[in-house]
Amino acid sequence: MSRRDARRHIFNLMFQNEFNKEINTHESIETYRNEYENFERKDILFIKNEYTGILDNVEKIDSIIDKFSIGWSVDRLSTVDKAILRIAVYEIMFDDDIPNKVSVNEAVEFAKEFSEYKAPSFIDGVLGKVVRYKEAN
């Protein structure tokens, strides 16, 4: 499975999490995994690590999104854009194995596919600020 496909599964889990917050992380991953049984071990490990990493750091991630999405708060974002931004901000700020350029590009591509027409430029702008912030610190 490609990393893009794995991110698509993470995106699905993040989206579902917005509507099922009472389900614990492990149960959520296992339920999702049972629906899509073709995961290789390395794929499920990547998905699980990213998903749990995002949820473990969601308050920090949301504060970063709030800081750099001028005029918008996380609460005002669509569920789709929130999920996309959370994945990308997590990768930029907490996962040094993934180049920032890849995280930004993937987020913009997901926004083109799943969100409204203005979302890709908004997401690109927010993530560009996050990358510059990280590189400056």
Side-chain angles (χ1 to χ4, degrees):
M1 168 184 308
S2 71
R3 283 283 172 99
R4 177 170 285 181
D5 290 338
R7 279 187 191 87
R8 187 178 309 275
H9 290 294
I10 297 164
F11 169 76
N12 289 338
L13 284 163
M14 292 301 301
F15 188 84
Q16 290 175 9
N17 183 63
E18 284 297 304
F19 301 101
N20 298 310
K21 292 184 184 224
E22 67 279 351
I23 297 175
N24 73 45
T25 305
H26 179 73
E27 183 180 339
S28 179
I29 291 171
E30 287 306 309
T31 300
Y32 189 84
R33 184 179 183 180
N34 289 334
E35 290 178 26
Y36 301 93
E37 295 181 20
N38 61 343
F39 290 119
E40 292 182 27
R41 179 170 167 68
K42 67 180 177 65
D43 298 329
I44 197 64
L45 287 175
F46 176 77
I47 292 167
K48 185 176 182 177
N49 288 339
E50 289 269 318
Y51 181 61
T52 57
I54 294 164
L55 294 181
D56 289 347
N57 293 286
V58 75
E59 289 178 13
K60 292 176 189 172
I61 292 167
D62 285 355
S63 71
I64 292 167
I65 294 169
D66 279 339
K67 181 176 182 173
F68 294 110
S69 59
I70 309 302
W72 289 87
S73 68
V74 171
D75 296 336
R76 289 187 58 208
L77 295 174
S78 72
T79 304
V80 169
D81 294 347
K82 191 184 312 183
I84 293 168
L85 281 167
R86 283 176 173 167
I87 294 166
V89 170
Y90 170 77
E91 289 181 353
I92 292 166
M93 299 302 293
F94 299 96
D95 190 342
D96 293 331
D97 292 336
I98 301 171
N100 295 337
K101 195 178 203 179
V102 171
S103 299
V104 173
N105 183 58
E106 291 287 303
V108 170
E109 291 302 315
F110 275 29
K112 287 177 185 176
E113 185 174 348
F114 297 112
S115 195
E116 65 176 304
Y117 75 99
K118 290 184 179 183
S121 60
F122 171 75
I123 287 172
D124 187 47
V126 171
L127 296 177
K129 292 173 190 173
V130 172
V131 168
R132 286 189 293 279
Y133 171 78
K134 181 183 178 191
E135 290 172 351
N137 292 309

